[in-house]
Amino acid sequence: MKMNLKRWGALGTAAVSLAGAMVVTGGTTAAHADTRCSWDWIAINDSAGGDPKTAARGHSHNTGNHYIRDYAWDPYLGKYIWNWWADNDGGSNGDTKDTYYGSRMCGATPENTNN
């Protein structure tokens, strides 16, 4: 099957567009918020100058501490929505306000989840 110049041009344009999209998003390795349906006990606000040190349901990794601030029942989907927050602990110069990190639909409340 012969491809004419117009078809080769269209294929080249599509390949360049796809390559550009891969660079912008980081391809398949782009980082996504870690909002899992499991947790461990972690300490948040544990640097001097911040809010009082608190135990929270969450996880720690190289991007910081993330914890479940609240959750709610979604009657339409029949699942719980866990709302994860980033512990923006400011270190010795004070605490920075925590920010919303992401949500996840889970089958149980955090209290009823095996860790």
Side-chain angles (χ1 to χ4, degrees):
M1 173 177 171
K2 281 187 168 182
M3 290 187 71
N4 63 27
L5 189 56
K6 192 173 187 178
R7 284 188 183 168
W8 277 111
L11 276 175
T13 302
V16 168
S17 292
L18 180 58
M22 294 291 281
V23 169
V24 169
T25 63
T28 59
T29 62
H32 298 285
D34 184 356
T35 56
R36 56 185 91 164
C37 290
S38 64
W39 56 267
D40 290 309
W41 286 108
I42 63 166
I44 60 172
N45 303 318
D46 58 349
S47 294
D51 294 329
K53 184 176 178 178
T54 307
R57 292 176 173 94
H59 58 264
S60 298
H61 45 85
N62 61 356
T63 59
N65 293 331
H66 304 106
Y67 66 96
I68 304 163
R69 178 178 269 185
D70 54 40
Y71 63 91
W73 173 251
D74 185 320
Y76 299 104
L77 297 175
K79 292 190 174 192
Y80 290 91
I81 303 168
W82 294 13
N83 295 311
W84 286 87
W85 286 70
D87 175 28
N88 296 325
D89 194 13
S92 61
N93 62 350
D95 197 19
T96 305
K97 186 175 181 178
D98 294 351
T99 53
Y100 173 76
Y101 187 67
S103 296
R104 172 75 60 163
M105 301 297 283
C106 299
T109 67
E111 291 89 356
N112 292 326
T113 302
N114 293 332
N115 308 327

mmCIF file of all heavy atoms in Angstrom, residues 45-92:
data_model
loop_
_atom_site.group_PDB
_atom_site.id
_atom_site.type_symbol
_atom_site.label_atom_id
_atom_site.label_comp_id
_atom_site.label_asym_id
_atom_site.label_seq_id
_atom_site.Cartn_x
_atom_site.Cartn_y
_atom_site.Cartn_z
ATOM 1 N N ASN A 45 2.340 18.131 61.753
ATOM 2 C CA ASN A 45 2.703 19.352 62.492
ATOM 3 C C ASN A 45 3.775 19.064 63.530
ATOM 4 O O ASN A 45 3.701 19.537 64.656
ATOM 5 C CB ASN A 45 1.474 19.964 63.169
ATOM 6 C CG ASN A 45 0.382 20.272 62.189
ATOM 7 O OD1 ASN A 45 0.629 20.770 61.110
ATOM 8 N ND2 ASN A 45 -0.849 19.958 62.547
ATOM 9 N N ASP A 46 4.796 18.302 63.152
ATOM 10 C CA ASP A 46 5.783 17.886 64.144
ATOM 11 C C ASP A 46 7.065 18.710 64.143
ATOM 12 O O ASP A 46 8.014 18.378 64.829
ATOM 13 C CB ASP A 46 6.112 16.398 64.001
ATOM 14 C CG ASP A 46 6.630 16.022 62.629
ATOM 15 O OD1 ASP A 46 6.542 16.852 61.718
ATOM 16 O OD2 ASP A 46 7.110 14.898 62.488
ATOM 17 N N SER A 47 7.098 19.825 63.406
ATOM 18 C CA SER A 47 8.269 20.706 63.459
ATOM 19 C C SER A 47 8.036 21.823 64.468
ATOM 20 O O SER A 47 6.902 22.230 64.707
ATOM 21 C CB SER A 47 8.535 21.328 62.087
ATOM 22 O OG SER A 47 8.912 20.343 61.170
ATOM 23 N N ALA A 48 9.119 22.311 65.032
ATOM 24 C CA ALA A 48 9.013 23.415 65.995
ATOM 25 C C ALA A 48 8.436 24.648 65.310
ATOM 26 O O ALA A 48 8.720 24.927 64.160
ATOM 27 C CB ALA A 48 10.391 23.735 66.552
ATOM 28 N N GLY A 49 7.597 25.371 66.019
ATOM 29 C CA GLY A 49 7.030 26.601 65.489
ATOM 30 C C GLY A 49 5.714 26.424 64.778
ATOM 31 O O GLY A 49 5.075 27.392 64.395
ATOM 32 N N GLY A 50 5.295 25.211 64.568
ATOM 33 C CA GLY A 50 4.040 24.961 63.871
ATOM 34 C C GLY A 50 2.904 24.700 64.829
ATOM 35 O O GLY A 50 2.985 24.970 66.023
ATOM 36 N N ASP A 51 1.821 24.175 64.295
ATOM 37 C CA ASP A 51 0.692 23.763 65.122
ATOM 38 C C ASP A 51 1.134 22.632 66.036
ATOM 39 O O ASP A 51 2.170 22.005 65.813
ATOM 40 C CB ASP A 51 -0.464 23.290 64.236
ATOM 41 C CG ASP A 51 -1.056 24.414 63.403
ATOM 42 O OD1 ASP A 51 -1.028 25.570 63.874
ATOM 43 O OD2 ASP A 51 -1.551 24.141 62.302
ATOM 44 N N PRO A 52 0.353 22.336 67.067
ATOM 45 C CA PRO A 52 0.727 21.230 67.963
ATOM 46 C C PRO A 52 0.818 19.897 67.201
ATOM 47 O O PRO A 52 0.023 19.633 66.300
ATOM 48 C CB PRO A 52 -0.422 21.188 68.967
ATOM 49 C CG PRO A 52 -1.079 22.515 68.882
ATOM 50 C CD PRO A 52 -0.869 23.010 67.492
ATOM 51 N N LYS A 53 1.804 19.095 67.568
ATOM 52 C CA LYS A 53 1.982 17.778 66.967
ATOM 53 C C LYS A 53 0.721 16.956 67.185
ATOM 54 O O LYS A 53 0.172 16.934 68.280
ATOM 55 C CB LYS A 53 3.187 17.078 67.591
ATOM 56 C CG LYS A 53 3.518 15.751 66.981
ATOM 57 C CD LYS A 53 4.784 15.192 67.599
ATOM 58 C CE LYS A 53 5.114 13.843 67.031
ATOM 59 N NZ LYS A 53 6.357 13.318 67.595
ATOM 60 N N THR A 54 0.260 16.286 66.128
ATOM 61 C CA THR A 54 -0.991 15.535 66.163
ATOM 62 C C THR A 54 -0.811 14.201 65.458
ATOM 63 O O THR A 54 -0.117 14.120 64.447
ATOM 64 C CB THR A 54 -2.097 16.332 65.441
ATOM 65 O OG1 THR A 54 -2.174 17.647 65.992
ATOM 66 C CG2 THR A 54 -3.447 15.674 65.559
ATOM 67 N N ALA A 55 -1.469 13.165 65.971
ATOM 68 C CA ALA A 55 -1.521 11.882 65.271
ATOM 69 C C ALA A 55 -2.670 11.949 64.265
ATOM 70 O O ALA A 55 -3.742 12.468 64.561
ATOM 71 C CB ALA A 55 -1.746 10.741 66.249
ATOM 72 N N ALA A 56 -2.419 11.447 63.062
ATOM 73 C CA ALA A 56 -3.440 11.487 62.013
ATOM 74 C C ALA A 56 -3.405 10.210 61.199
ATOM 75 O O ALA A 56 -2.381 9.531 61.129
ATOM 76 C CB ALA A 56 -3.206 12.693 61.110
ATOM 77 N N ARG A 57 -4.529 9.889 60.568
ATOM 78 C CA ARG A 57 -4.591 8.763 59.635
ATOM 79 C C ARG A 57 -4.045 9.256 58.304
ATOM 80 O O ARG A 57 -4.590 10.187 57.715
ATOM 81 C CB ARG A 57 -6.030 8.303 59.460
ATOM 82 C CG ARG A 57 -6.625 7.672 60.682
ATOM 83 C CD ARG A 57 -8.103 7.339 60.439
ATOM 84 N NE ARG A 57 -8.637 6.583 61.534
ATOM 85 C CZ ARG A 57 -9.287 7.106 62.579
ATOM 86 N NH1 ARG A 57 -9.465 8.413 62.642
ATOM 87 N NH2 ARG A 57 -9.737 6.343 63.528
ATOM 88 N N GLY A 58 -2.960 8.643 57.821
ATOM 89 C CA GLY A 58 -2.381 9.104 56.571
ATOM 90 C C GLY A 58 -1.196 8.281 56.146
ATOM 91 O O GLY A 58 -1.082 7.113 56.498
ATOM 92 N N HIS A 59 -0.302 8.896 55.379
ATOM 93 C CA HIS A 59 0.923 8.246 54.927
ATOM 94 C C HIS A 59 1.994 9.305 54.692
ATOM 95 O O HIS A 59 1.693 10.470 54.491
ATOM 96 C CB HIS A 59 0.691 7.420 53.655
ATOM 97 C CG HIS A 59 0.153 8.220 52.515
ATOM 98 N ND1 HIS A 59 -1.201 8.279 52.227
ATOM 99 C CD2 HIS A 59 0.761 9.002 51.608
ATOM 100 C CE1 HIS A 59 -1.380 9.064 51.178
ATOM 101 N NE2 HIS A 59 -0.215 9.515 50.783
ATOM 102 N N SER A 60 3.223 8.858 54.755
ATOM 103 C CA SER A 60 4.364 9.737 54.509
ATOM 104 C C SER A 60 5.184 9.156 53.369
ATOM 105 O O SER A 60 5.330 7.948 53.262
ATOM 106 C CB SER A 60 5.256 9.828 55.750
ATOM 107 O OG SER A 60 4.560 10.386 56.820
ATOM 108 N N HIS A 61 5.691 10.026 52.517
ATOM 109 C CA HIS A 61 6.610 9.613 51.459
ATOM 110 C C HIS A 61 7.408 10.821 51.011
ATOM 111 O O HIS A 61 7.338 11.865 51.655
ATOM 112 C CB HIS A 61 5.886 8.918 50.294
ATOM 113 C CG HIS A 61 4.646 9.603 49.836
ATOM 114 N ND1 HIS A 61 4.636 10.630 48.937
ATOM 115 C CD2 HIS A 61 3.358 9.406 50.169
ATOM 116 C CE1 HIS A 61 3.405 11.024 48.724
ATOM 117 N NE2 HIS A 61 2.607 10.304 49.461
ATOM 118 N N ASN A 62 8.149 10.707 49.918
ATOM 119 C CA ASN A 62 9.096 11.760 49.571
ATOM 120 C C ASN A 62 8.444 13.098 49.242
ATOM 121 O O ASN A 62 9.116 14.116 49.222
ATOM 122 C CB ASN A 62 10.029 11.314 48.438
ATOM 123 C CG ASN A 62 9.282 10.986 47.171
ATOM 124 O OD1 ASN A 62 8.058 11.006 47.125
ATOM 125 N ND2 ASN A 62 10.021 10.660 46.143
ATOM 126 N N THR A 63 7.157 13.146 48.971
ATOM 127 C CA THR A 63 6.501 14.437 48.732
ATOM 128 C C THR A 63 5.850 14.981 49.990
ATOM 129 O O THR A 63 5.172 15.993 49.943
ATOM 130 C CB THR A 63 5.455 14.342 47.598
ATOM 131 O OG1 THR A 63 4.475 13.370 47.942
ATOM 132 C CG2 THR A 63 6.112 13.992 46.284
ATOM 133 N N GLY A 64 6.030 14.315 51.112
ATOM 134 C CA GLY A 64 5.537 14.847 52.372
ATOM 135 C C GLY A 64 4.517 13.966 53.062
ATOM 136 O O GLY A 64 4.307 12.816 52.693
ATOM 137 N N ASN A 65 3.893 14.547 54.092
ATOM 138 C CA ASN A 65 2.849 13.857 54.847
ATOM 139 C C ASN A 65 1.492 14.206 54.257
ATOM 140 O O ASN A 65 1.210 15.376 53.983
ATOM 141 C CB ASN A 65 2.852 14.300 56.314
ATOM 142 C CG ASN A 65 4.089 13.868 57.041
ATOM 143 O OD1 ASN A 65 4.701 12.858 56.718
ATOM 144 N ND2 ASN A 65 4.473 14.646 58.034
ATOM 145 N N HIS A 66 0.663 13.204 54.090
ATOM 146 C CA HIS A 66 -0.691 13.413 53.609
ATOM 147 C C HIS A 66 -1.634 12.678 54.553
ATOM 148 O O HIS A 66 -1.353 11.554 54.952
ATOM 149 C CB HIS A 66 -0.830 12.904 52.175
ATOM 150 C CG HIS A 66 0.171 13.549 51.276
ATOM 151 N ND1 HIS A 66 1.265 12.885 50.803
ATOM 152 C CD2 HIS A 66 0.258 14.823 50.818
ATOM 153 C CE1 HIS A 66 1.983 13.718 50.061
ATOM 154 N NE2 HIS A 66 1.396 14.901 50.069
ATOM 155 N N TYR A 67 -2.713 13.325 54.910
ATOM 156 C CA TYR A 67 -3.614 12.736 55.900
ATOM 157 C C TYR A 67 -5.077 12.923 55.497
ATOM 158 O O TYR A 67 -5.403 13.795 54.692
ATOM 159 C CB TYR A 67 -3.356 13.341 57.282
ATOM 160 C CG TYR A 67 -3.704 14.813 57.397
ATOM 161 C CD1 TYR A 67 -4.934 15.213 57.904
ATOM 162 C CD2 TYR A 67 -2.801 15.792 56.991
ATOM 163 C CE1 TYR A 67 -5.249 16.562 58.006
ATOM 164 C CE2 TYR A 67 -3.107 17.122 57.097
ATOM 165 C CZ TYR A 67 -4.330 17.515 57.594
ATOM 166 O OH TYR A 67 -4.654 18.841 57.687
ATOM 167 N N ILE A 68 -5.918 12.073 56.061
ATOM 168 C CA ILE A 68 -7.354 12.137 55.789
ATOM 169 C C ILE A 68 -7.954 13.143 56.763
ATOM 170 O O ILE A 68 -7.993 12.899 57.967
ATOM 171 C CB ILE A 68 -8.017 10.753 55.975
ATOM 172 C CG1 ILE A 68 -7.329 9.723 55.092
ATOM 173 C CG2 ILE A 68 -9.514 10.839 55.681
ATOM 174 C CD1 ILE A 68 -7.613 8.290 55.492
ATOM 175 N N ARG A 69 -8.397 14.258 56.234
ATOM 176 C CA ARG A 69 -8.974 15.283 57.105
ATOM 177 C C ARG A 69 -10.439 14.970 57.399
ATOM 178 O O ARG A 69 -10.908 15.155 58.513
ATOM 179 C CB ARG A 69 -8.872 16.653 56.466
ATOM 180 C CG ARG A 69 -9.511 17.735 57.338
ATOM 181 C CD ARG A 69 -9.390 19.096 56.748
ATOM 182 N NE ARG A 69 -8.173 19.727 57.227
ATOM 183 C CZ ARG A 69 -7.829 20.969 56.953
ATOM 184 N NH1 ARG A 69 -8.581 21.713 56.177
ATOM 185 N NH2 ARG A 69 -6.721 21.469 57.437
ATOM 186 N N ASP A 70 -11.160 14.500 56.389
ATOM 187 C CA ASP A 70 -12.574 14.188 56.583
ATOM 188 C C ASP A 70 -13.030 13.215 55.500
ATOM 189 O O ASP A 70 -12.293 12.910 54.576
ATOM 190 C CB ASP A 70 -13.428 15.463 56.568
ATOM 191 C CG ASP A 70 -13.210 16.301 55.315
ATOM 192 O OD1 ASP A 70 -13.083 15.745 54.211
ATOM 193 O OD2 ASP A 70 -13.164 17.539 55.445
ATOM 194 N N TYR A 71 -14.233 12.725 55.657
ATOM 195 C CA TYR A 71 -14.811 11.824 54.660
ATOM 196 C C TYR A 71 -16.324 11.991 54.696
ATOM 197 O O TYR A 71 -16.887 12.529 55.650
ATOM 198 C CB TYR A 71 -14.404 10.367 54.915
ATOM 199 C CG TYR A 71 -14.902 9.815 56.221
ATOM 200 C CD1 TYR A 71 -16.126 9.161 56.291
ATOM 201 C CD2 TYR A 71 -14.165 9.950 57.392
ATOM 202 C CE1 TYR A 71 -16.593 8.659 57.505
ATOM 203 C CE2 TYR A 71 -14.615 9.459 58.586
ATOM 204 C CZ TYR A 71 -15.837 8.810 58.636
ATOM 205 O OH TYR A 71 -16.295 8.319 59.828
ATOM 206 N N ALA A 72 -16.973 11.548 53.621
ATOM 207 C CA ALA A 72 -18.434 11.661 53.528
ATOM 208 C C ALA A 72 -18.971 10.495 52.715
ATOM 209 O O ALA A 72 -18.276 9.920 51.878
ATOM 210 C CB ALA A 72 -18.815 12.985 52.869
ATOM 211 N N TRP A 73 -20.209 10.158 52.954
ATOM 212 C CA TRP A 73 -20.903 9.088 52.230
ATOM 213 C C TRP A 73 -21.484 9.659 50.950
ATOM 214 O O TRP A 73 -22.115 10.721 50.957
ATOM 215 C CB TRP A 73 -21.998 8.502 53.103
ATOM 216 C CG TRP A 73 -22.878 7.523 52.408
ATOM 217 C CD1 TRP A 73 -24.180 7.699 52.046
ATOM 218 C CD2 TRP A 73 -22.537 6.194 51.999
ATOM 219 N NE1 TRP A 73 -24.658 6.575 51.436
ATOM 220 C CE2 TRP A 73 -23.673 5.629 51.393
ATOM 221 C CE3 TRP A 73 -21.381 5.437 52.088
ATOM 222 C CZ2 TRP A 73 -23.691 4.340 50.870
ATOM 223 C CZ3 TRP A 73 -21.382 4.146 51.567
ATOM 224 C CH2 TRP A 73 -22.524 3.614 50.981
ATOM 225 N N ASP A 74 -21.279 8.981 49.824
ATOM 226 C CA ASP A 74 -21.900 9.356 48.559
ATOM 227 C C ASP A 74 -23.018 8.354 48.281
ATOM 228 O O ASP A 74 -22.750 7.213 47.903
ATOM 229 C CB ASP A 74 -20.880 9.337 47.424
ATOM 230 C CG ASP A 74 -21.471 9.834 46.119
ATOM 231 O OD1 ASP A 74 -22.634 9.504 45.803
ATOM 232 O OD2 ASP A 74 -20.768 10.566 45.409
ATOM 233 N N PRO A 75 -24.289 8.754 48.483
ATOM 234 C CA PRO A 75 -25.390 7.807 48.325
ATOM 235 C C PRO A 75 -25.590 7.341 46.887
ATOM 236 O O PRO A 75 -26.133 6.265 46.657
ATOM 237 C CB PRO A 75 -26.605 8.597 48.823
ATOM 238 C CG PRO A 75 -26.241 10.020 48.670
ATOM 239 C CD PRO A 75 -24.750 10.084 48.845
ATOM 240 N N TYR A 76 -25.168 8.125 45.922
ATOM 241 C CA TYR A 76 -25.362 7.745 44.518
ATOM 242 C C TYR A 76 -24.397 6.656 44.090
ATOM 243 O O TYR A 76 -24.758 5.759 43.341
ATOM 244 C CB TYR A 76 -25.212 8.968 43.613
ATOM 245 C CG TYR A 76 -26.236 10.032 43.929
ATOM 246 C CD1 TYR A 76 -25.874 11.177 44.631
ATOM 247 C CD2 TYR A 76 -27.572 9.870 43.585
ATOM 248 C CE1 TYR A 76 -26.814 12.135 44.956
ATOM 249 C CE2 TYR A 76 -28.525 10.819 43.911
ATOM 250 C CZ TYR A 76 -28.138 11.952 44.587
ATOM 251 O OH TYR A 76 -29.071 12.884 44.916
ATOM 252 N N LEU A 77 -23.176 6.710 44.564
ATOM 253 C CA LEU A 77 -22.174 5.701 44.209
ATOM 254 C C LEU A 77 -22.060 4.599 45.251
ATOM 255 O O LEU A 77 -21.428 3.581 45.013
ATOM 256 C CB LEU A 77 -20.816 6.362 43.993
ATOM 257 C CG LEU A 77 -20.766 7.358 42.825
ATOM 258 C CD1 LEU A 77 -19.418 8.038 42.763
ATOM 259 C CD2 LEU A 77 -21.062 6.646 41.509
ATOM 260 N N GLY A 78 -22.646 4.835 46.424
ATOM 261 C CA GLY A 78 -22.592 3.828 47.478
ATOM 262 C C GLY A 78 -21.200 3.626 48.053
ATOM 263 O O GLY A 78 -20.846 2.521 48.457
ATOM 264 N N LYS A 79 -20.408 4.693 48.090
ATOM 265 C CA LYS A 79 -19.051 4.624 48.636
ATOM 266 C C LYS A 79 -18.782 5.861 49.472
ATOM 267 O O LYS A 79 -19.519 6.837 49.428
ATOM 268 C CB LYS A 79 -18.019 4.537 47.512
ATOM 269 C CG LYS A 79 -18.081 3.224 46.753
ATOM 270 C CD LYS A 79 -16.910 3.100 45.832
ATOM 271 C CE LYS A 79 -16.938 1.722 45.203
ATOM 272 N NZ LYS A 79 -15.719 1.393 44.525
ATOM 273 N N TYR A 80 -17.677 5.802 50.217
ATOM 274 C CA TYR A 80 -17.230 6.940 51.004
ATOM 275 C C TYR A 80 -16.196 7.734 50.207
ATOM 276 O O TYR A 80 -15.364 7.158 49.520
ATOM 277 C CB TYR A 80 -16.608 6.478 52.320
ATOM 278 C CG TYR A 80 -17.626 5.922 53.270
ATOM 279 C CD1 TYR A 80 -17.931 4.567 53.268
ATOM 280 C CD2 TYR A 80 -18.297 6.753 54.161
ATOM 281 C CE1 TYR A 80 -18.883 4.051 54.137
ATOM 282 C CE2 TYR A 80 -19.251 6.245 55.032
ATOM 283 C CZ TYR A 80 -19.540 4.895 55.006
ATOM 284 O OH TYR A 80 -20.484 4.393 55.853
ATOM 285 N N ILE A 81 -16.244 9.037 50.324
ATOM 286 C CA ILE A 81 -15.250 9.907 49.712
ATOM 287 C C ILE A 81 -14.286 10.324 50.813
ATOM 288 O O ILE A 81 -14.689 10.984 51.766
ATOM 289 C CB ILE A 81 -15.900 11.156 49.098
ATOM 290 C CG1 ILE A 81 -16.948 10.770 48.069
ATOM 291 C CG2 ILE A 81 -14.826 12.059 48.475
ATOM 292 C CD1 ILE A 81 -17.825 11.936 47.647
ATOM 293 N N TRP A 82 -13.026 9.901 50.702
ATOM 294 C CA TRP A 82 -11.995 10.298 51.658
ATOM 295 C C TRP A 82 -11.298 11.521 51.100
ATOM 296 O O TRP A 82 -10.818 11.516 49.964
ATOM 297 C CB TRP A 82 -10.962 9.200 51.838
ATOM 298 C CG TRP A 82 -11.443 7.937 52.470
ATOM 299 C CD1 TRP A 82 -12.725 7.535 52.693
ATOM 300 C CD2 TRP A 82 -10.621 6.881 52.949
ATOM 301 N NE1 TRP A 82 -12.743 6.298 53.272
ATOM 302 C CE2 TRP A 82 -11.467 5.878 53.444
ATOM 303 C CE3 TRP A 82 -9.242 6.689 53.001
ATOM 304 C CZ2 TRP A 82 -10.978 4.693 53.992
ATOM 305 C CZ3 TRP A 82 -8.746 5.511 53.539
ATOM 306 C CH2 TRP A 82 -9.611 4.524 54.037
ATOM 307 N N ASN A 83 -11.218 12.585 51.874
ATOM 308 C CA ASN A 83 -10.549 13.807 51.459
ATOM 309 C C ASN A 83 -9.167 13.879 52.108
ATOM 310 O O ASN A 83 -9.044 13.969 53.326
ATOM 311 C CB ASN A 83 -11.376 15.035 51.836
ATOM 312 C CG ASN A 83 -12.681 15.052 51.075
ATOM 313 O OD1 ASN A 83 -12.713 14.875 49.864
ATOM 314 N ND2 ASN A 83 -13.778 15.243 51.780
ATOM 315 N N TRP A 84 -8.145 13.824 51.259
ATOM 316 C CA TRP A 84 -6.749 13.838 51.695
ATOM 317 C C TRP A 84 -6.222 15.266 51.663
ATOM 318 O O TRP A 84 -6.511 16.032 50.756
ATOM 319 C CB TRP A 84 -5.899 12.965 50.765
ATOM 320 C CG TRP A 84 -6.106 11.506 50.958
ATOM 321 C CD1 TRP A 84 -7.056 10.720 50.363
ATOM 322 C CD2 TRP A 84 -5.361 10.642 51.792
ATOM 323 N NE1 TRP A 84 -6.938 9.429 50.773
ATOM 324 C CE2 TRP A 84 -5.897 9.352 51.661
ATOM 325 C CE3 TRP A 84 -4.283 10.841 52.645
ATOM 326 C CZ2 TRP A 84 -5.385 8.254 52.344
ATOM 327 C CZ3 TRP A 84 -3.767 9.748 53.320
ATOM 328 C CH2 TRP A 84 -4.319 8.471 53.164
ATOM 329 N N TRP A 85 -5.422 15.620 52.674
ATOM 330 C CA TRP A 85 -4.820 16.942 52.782
ATOM 331 C C TRP A 85 -3.314 16.814 52.947
ATOM 332 O O TRP A 85 -2.824 15.832 53.504
ATOM 333 C CB TRP A 85 -5.419 17.685 53.979
ATOM 334 C CG TRP A 85 -6.816 18.150 53.683
ATOM 335 C CD1 TRP A 85 -7.921 17.366 53.541
ATOM 336 C CD2 TRP A 85 -7.239 19.476 53.453
ATOM 337 N NE1 TRP A 85 -9.013 18.133 53.247
ATOM 338 C CE2 TRP A 85 -8.628 19.431 53.192
ATOM 339 C CE3 TRP A 85 -6.590 20.700 53.460
ATOM 340 C CZ2 TRP A 85 -9.359 20.575 52.930
ATOM 341 C CZ3 TRP A 85 -7.331 21.841 53.199
ATOM 342 C CH2 TRP A 85 -8.697 21.770 52.933
ATOM 343 N N ALA A 86 -2.593 17.803 52.462
ATOM 344 C CA ALA A 86 -1.138 17.854 52.608
ATOM 345 C C ALA A 86 -0.792 18.593 53.890
ATOM 346 O O ALA A 86 -1.317 19.672 54.151
ATOM 347 C CB ALA A 86 -0.516 18.570 51.414
ATOM 348 N N ASP A 87 0.080 17.982 54.683
ATOM 349 C CA ASP A 87 0.572 18.602 55.913
ATOM 350 C C ASP A 87 1.699 19.557 55.537
ATOM 351 O O ASP A 87 2.844 19.154 55.401
ATOM 352 C CB ASP A 87 1.072 17.522 56.870
ATOM 353 C CG ASP A 87 1.715 18.092 58.115
ATOM 354 O OD1 ASP A 87 1.338 19.205 58.526
ATOM 355 O OD2 ASP A 87 2.604 17.426 58.666
ATOM 356 N N ASN A 88 1.370 20.813 55.353
ATOM 357 C CA ASN A 88 2.359 21.816 54.950
ATOM 358 C C ASN A 88 3.048 22.384 56.179
ATOM 359 O O ASN A 88 2.925 23.547 56.508
ATOM 360 C CB ASN A 88 1.685 22.926 54.137
ATOM 361 C CG ASN A 88 1.125 22.394 52.844
ATOM 362 O OD1 ASN A 88 1.689 21.503 52.237
ATOM 363 N ND2 ASN A 88 -0.008 22.916 52.429
ATOM 364 N N ASP A 89 3.761 21.517 56.847
ATOM 365 C CA ASP A 89 4.475 21.884 58.058
ATOM 366 C C ASP A 89 5.626 22.801 57.686
ATOM 367 O O ASP A 89 6.525 22.413 56.943
ATOM 368 C CB ASP A 89 4.979 20.608 58.733
ATOM 369 C CG ASP A 89 5.430 20.833 60.146
ATOM 370 O OD1 ASP A 89 5.143 21.903 60.698
ATOM 371 O OD2 ASP A 89 6.067 19.929 60.689
ATOM 372 N N GLY A 90 5.617 24.018 58.197
ATOM 373 C CA GLY A 90 6.600 25.021 57.797
ATOM 374 C C GLY A 90 7.953 24.898 58.453
ATOM 375 O O GLY A 90 8.834 25.708 58.202
ATOM 376 N N GLY A 91 8.151 23.923 59.298
ATOM 377 C CA GLY A 91 9.449 23.770 59.949
ATOM 378 C C GLY A 91 9.643 24.764 61.073
ATOM 379 O O GLY A 91 8.694 25.226 61.692
ATOM 380 N N SER A 92 10.878 25.143 61.338
ATOM 381 C CA SER A 92 11.195 25.992 62.491
ATOM 382 C C SER A 92 10.688 27.424 62.341
ATOM 383 O O SER A 92 10.600 28.156 63.310
ATOM 384 C CB SER A 92 12.706 26.012 62.722
ATOM 385 O OG SER A 92 13.333 26.554 61.576
#
